[in-house]
């Protein structure tokens, strides 16, 4: 397999030779993966793989309009590059006018590490985690199941105008399910390099939750005061963030659309000091600091490829502050350009989760959510299931596990009704952890979380 840099050079040279497009953008992403699985207190499988994705975007301009052809391939044979470029140019020539057309970005020379080797990963990344599991987890009475994954993606972006960008982004996570008798609990942790995974702490938290479940209480559906730890808050806020697109809101199609027209930017959701933002340079949560889009969407445009991404405050001090606008949408709606980075952070209060539990007279501790789906986009109503840990809190202590529920809630309404925010912690969302791992969230207290029906899920 030839180097990604050679793929870029070959694709741009072929585009120039064919000469059917005014501009060409090439995106090459090399990915290295490693994984480890365990079940019933025994390691079961591990594996390593490498892959490549190449996208060629051809732009044909005519006056103020542009037509785009984007073709993507996972073929690593160098002989396939010419066909990929030719297909992209042919698609552009027959495409309708692109609604997100924007001027080309200026040239920017190759970064210093452009020609450096692409970093990889291997199962060696899991040695410390595996050793801790074997020494402290597998020797106990609880049955442990789970997996760890690590991937390193290196993206090369180049345009025929002379723009060159490169970034390597490592991503990792650990998830552990524990079973004791009929009880089950889950914990997870996100990481970039596996040197900071607190395996002993995760196992201790898992054991505590399994201990809580030695007593069980059946509760009916209804509204309950509920403490949501950072993981469950993350699962709800990530989906809210995914819907915060400017165009959809401007056109009246989302929950961020204002009655009578326009958007809800400027609307106060809560008096709690909550700020939700993305920032590619956030400490410990760094991610690709420029736009990489192989196809246009309401959140990103191929015309913005290579454009710097900065911090964006989606909610600031409890007020909806920013929506995502590519350059074309920003110009159309007279809004600031804003692109989402691959992380999401929310600042909260100061109370620890233990403190929030201690100040609860009677309520639920909701540790994980599952199978979340959108019910009504107009108000962003979500439904889903609880799983592996809903606990009863009485007089400041967790006293039992309760049955699972189906819930109906909107993340916007959760923010409107929240009465307390705890300290912010790095967390791994249970539902969306395959897509988002760079997340920090506070715990939230919801006075009337809607458990709409009892679930038979175990």
């Amino acid at each position: 397999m030839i180097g990604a840099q050679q793929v870029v050079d070959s694709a741009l040279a072929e585009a120039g030779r064919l000469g059917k497009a005014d501009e060409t953008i090439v995106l090459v992403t090399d990915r290295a993966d490693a994984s480890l699985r365990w079940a019933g207190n025994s390691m079961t499988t591990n594996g390593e793989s490498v892959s490549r994705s190449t996208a060629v975007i051809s732009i044909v301009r005519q006056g103020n309009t542009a037509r785009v052809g984007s073709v993507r391939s996972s073929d690593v044979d160098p002989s396939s590059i010419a066909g990929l470029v030719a297909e992209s140019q042919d698609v552009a020539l027959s495409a309708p006018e692109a609604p997100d057309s924007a001027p080309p970005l200026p040239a920017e020379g190759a970064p210093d590490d452009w020609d450096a080797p692409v970093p990889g990963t291997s199962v060696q990344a899991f040695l410390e985690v595996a050793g801790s599991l074997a020494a402290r987890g597998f020797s106990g009475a609880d049955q442990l199941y789970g997996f760890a994954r690590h991937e390193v993606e290196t993206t090369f972006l180049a345009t025929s105008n002379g723009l060159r960008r490169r970034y390597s982004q490592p991503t990792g996570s650990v998830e552990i399910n524990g079973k004791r008798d009929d009880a089950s609990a889950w914990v997870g942790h996100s990481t970039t390099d596996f040197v900071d995974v607190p395996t002993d702490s995760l196992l201790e938290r898992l054991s505590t939750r399994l201990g809580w479940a030695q007593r069980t209480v059946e509760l009916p559906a209804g509204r309950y005061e509920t403490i949501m730890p950072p993981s469950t808050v993350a699962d709800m806020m990530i989906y809210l963030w995914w819907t915060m697109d400017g165009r959809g809101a401007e056109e009246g199609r989302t929950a961020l659309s204002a009655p009578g027209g326009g958007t809800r930017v400027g609307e106060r959701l809560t008096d709690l000091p909550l700020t939700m933002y993305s920032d590619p340079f956030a400490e410990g949560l760094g991610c690709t600091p420029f736009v990489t889009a192989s196809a246009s969407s309401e959140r990103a445009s191929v015309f913005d490829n290579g454009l710097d991404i900065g911090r964006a405050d989606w909610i600031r001090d409890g007020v909806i502050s920013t929506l995502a606008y590519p350059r074309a949408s920003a110009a159309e709606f007279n809004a600031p350009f804003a692109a989402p980075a691959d992380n999401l952070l929310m600042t909260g209060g100061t109370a620890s989760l233990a403190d929030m539990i201690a100040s609860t007279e009677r309520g639920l501790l909701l540790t994980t959510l599952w199978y979340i789906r959108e019910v009504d986009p107009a108000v962003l109503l979500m439904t889903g299931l609880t799983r592996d840990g809903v606990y009863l809190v009485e007089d400041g202590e967790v006293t039992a596990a309760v049955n699972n529920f189906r819930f109906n809630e909107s993340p916007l309404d959760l923010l409107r009704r929240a009465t307390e925010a705890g300290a912010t912690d790095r967390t791994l969302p249970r539902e969306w952890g395959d897509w988002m791992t760079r997340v920090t969230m506070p715990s939230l207290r919801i006075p009337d979380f809607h458990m709409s029906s009892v679930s038979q899920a175990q």
Side-chain angles (χ1 to χ4, degrees):
M1 188 165 70
I2 65 173
Q5 302 92 330
Q6 293 173 274
V7 174
V8 167
D9 292 341
S10 296
L12 289 176
E14 181 65 16
R17 188 188 70 81
L18 293 175
K20 297 179 182 179
D22 298 297
E23 299 157 35
T24 304
I25 303 170
V26 181
L27 283 164
V28 181
T29 300
D30 279 358
R31 174 171 168 164
D33 288 276
S35 62
L36 176 68
R37 291 182 178 274
W38 54 93
N41 289 359
S42 178
M43 296 297 174
T44 57
T45 59
N46 65 76
E48 301 172 4
S49 65
V50 294
S51 60
R52 171 175 291 166
S53 172
T54 302
V56 177
I57 303 163
S58 297
I59 300 174
V60 176
R61 295 188 182 272
Q62 185 175 7
N64 294 326
T65 66
R67 303 174 189 275
V68 176
S70 180
V71 180
R72 188 173 179 176
S73 173
S74 59
D75 196 332
V76 297
D77 186 344
S79 65
S80 67
I81 297 173
L84 192 65
V85 174
E87 184 180 355
S88 173
Q89 293 192 353
D90 289 341
V91 171
L93 290 170
S94 60
E97 293 181 2
D100 58 326
S101 176
L105 296 175
E108 182 178 320
D112 293 340
D113 63 347
W114 179 264
D115 292 319
V118 172
T121 188
S122 73
V123 294
Q124 299 298 311
F126 309 128
L127 281 178
E128 188 171 337
V129 170
S132 294
L133 284 171
R136 301 172 182 84
F138 295 167
S139 59
D142 298 335
Q143 294 293 299
L144 303 183
Y145 303 78
F147 65 95
R149 65 182 179 96
H150 192 228
E151 63 186 47
V152 180
E153 286 192 343
T154 301
T155 298
F156 295 82
L157 186 153
T159 74
S160 55
N161 298 325
L163 177 65
R164 300 289 185 276
R165 306 296 297 266
R166 169 183 168 156
Y167 190 81
S168 293
Q169 181 167 295
T171 300
S173 64
V174 178
E175 298 190 44
I176 309 174
N177 273 88
K179 296 185 183 299
R180 181 186 301 173
D181 300 326
D182 293 329
S184 178
W186 175 92
V187 293
H189 184 81
S190 67
T191 180
T192 56
D193 52 18
F194 280 85
V195 301
D196 61 347
V197 177
T199 310
D200 291 352
S201 175
L202 292 174
L203 293 173
E204 182 179 348
R205 193 190 320 165
L206 197 66
S207 180
T208 297
R209 292 179 178 181
L210 290 171
W212 288 340
Q214 295 309 291
R215 174 176 177 253
T216 61
V217 173
E218 296 291 322
L219 292 179
R223 292 187 176 271
Y224 293 90
E225 179 171 333
T226 299
I227 300 173
M228 300 178 66
S231 180
T232 53
V233 174
D235 272 325
M236 296 300 283
M237 293 305 118
I238 287 170
Y239 201 93
L240 167 60
W241 177 59
W242 282 342
T243 69
M244 297 184 77
D245 303 328
R247 177 171 293 279
E250 299 277 4
E251 295 177 351
R253 295 184 280 107
T254 76
L256 281 302
S257 303
T263 74
R264 292 186 180 273
V265 169
E267 178 179 308
R268 175 167 293 281
L269 294 173
T270 176
D271 289 328
L272 296 175
L274 297 176
T275 294
M276 187 173 78
Y277 65 99
S278 58
D279 181 359
F281 302 102
E283 184 176 357
L285 299 171
C287 55
T288 306
F290 52 87
V291 175
T292 58
S294 59
S296 291
S297 68
E298 294 189 356
R299 291 173 73 81
S301 168
V302 296
F303 292 91
D304 294 344
N305 269 308
L307 196 62
D308 287 335
I309 297 175
R311 170 169 169 159
D313 288 359
W314 310 103
I315 298 171
R316 183 185 300 134
D317 294 328
V319 176
I320 300 173
S321 176
T322 306
L323 301 177
Y325 289 91
R327 281 188 296 162
S329 295
E332 180 180 350
F333 296 110
N334 193 29
F337 165 81
D342 192 23
N343 60 21
L344 190 65
L345 304 89
M346 181 182 279
T347 58
T350 59
S352 68
L353 181 61
D355 290 338
M356 294 177 69
I357 292 172
S359 62
T360 301
E361 182 176 346
R362 191 173 194 275
L364 300 179
L365 175 64
L366 178 59
T367 62
T368 69
L369 301 179
W370 185 255
Y371 206 71
I372 302 172
R373 296 296 183 268
E374 187 178 67
V375 175
D376 185 351
V379 294
L380 202 60
L381 180 63
M382 313 297 296
T383 191
L385 301 172
T386 68
R387 185 179 184 182
D388 295 326
V390 187
Y391 303 100
L392 180 63
V393 180
E394 296 176 297
D395 298 324
E397 295 184 356
V398 179
T399 60
V402 304
N403 47 278
N404 281 306
F405 298 95
R406 174 169 292 281
F407 68 88
N408 285 322
E409 280 290 0
S410 162
L412 284 168
D413 282 341
L414 290 177
L415 293 178
R416 292 184 179 110
R417 291 163 22 228
T419 56
E420 183 182 9
T424 295
D425 279 324
R426 181 164 181 169
T427 190
L428 181 70
R430 175 77 183 274
E431 175 75 339
W432 309 123
D434 287 345
W435 292 272
M436 283 289 295
T437 62
R438 295 170 180 81
V439 184
T440 67
M441 288 284 152
S443 299
L444 291 179
R445 184 187 301 276
I446 311 300
D448 54 354
F449 194 94
H450 187 202
M451 300 300 186
S452 56
S453 63
V454 172
S455 168
Q456 300 306 312
Q458 300 295 317

